[in-house]
Amino acid sequence: TARDDGSFAQAVLDENLAALGDRNAAVRVTALTWLSQKNVSVEGYDPMATKAQRRHALKQLLAAREAGR
């Protein structure tokens, strides 16, 4: 449960980022589209790429977020 607009927005962002790892390609495409509309770039991520390629891009995204970029 979100306490305010900011925590709700963060929760929705986190859910869409998590959806990029979904097994279902339609879920991944929808999440990437939503993120793109919010100007969130996931460099090197292709929702139709192999599982290994998608994981690599997501690991890079996670590392960049943890570094504060």
Side-chain angles (χ1 to χ4, degrees):
T1 304
R3 294 174 303 242
D4 55 37
D5 290 346
S7 62
F8 177 74
Q10 186 61 50
V12 174
L13 174 66
D14 292 344
E15 286 294 321
N16 278 280
L17 289 170
L20 295 177
D22 199 277
R23 300 171 58 165
N24 186 324
V27 171
R28 296 190 306 265
V29 169
T30 300
L32 187 62
T33 300
W34 186 90
L35 290 164
S36 295
Q37 290 173 349
K38 301 298 178 192
N39 295 318
V40 177
S41 175
V42 184
E43 208 166 310
Y45 181 84
D46 177 356
M48 303 307 286
T50 67
K51 186 176 183 178
Q53 291 169 322
R54 293 191 316 267
R55 282 189 177 183
H56 178 73
L58 292 175
K59 284 181 183 180
Q60 287 183 319
L61 173 66
L62 180 60
R65 286 179 55 121
E66 288 177 354
R69 291 190 252 155

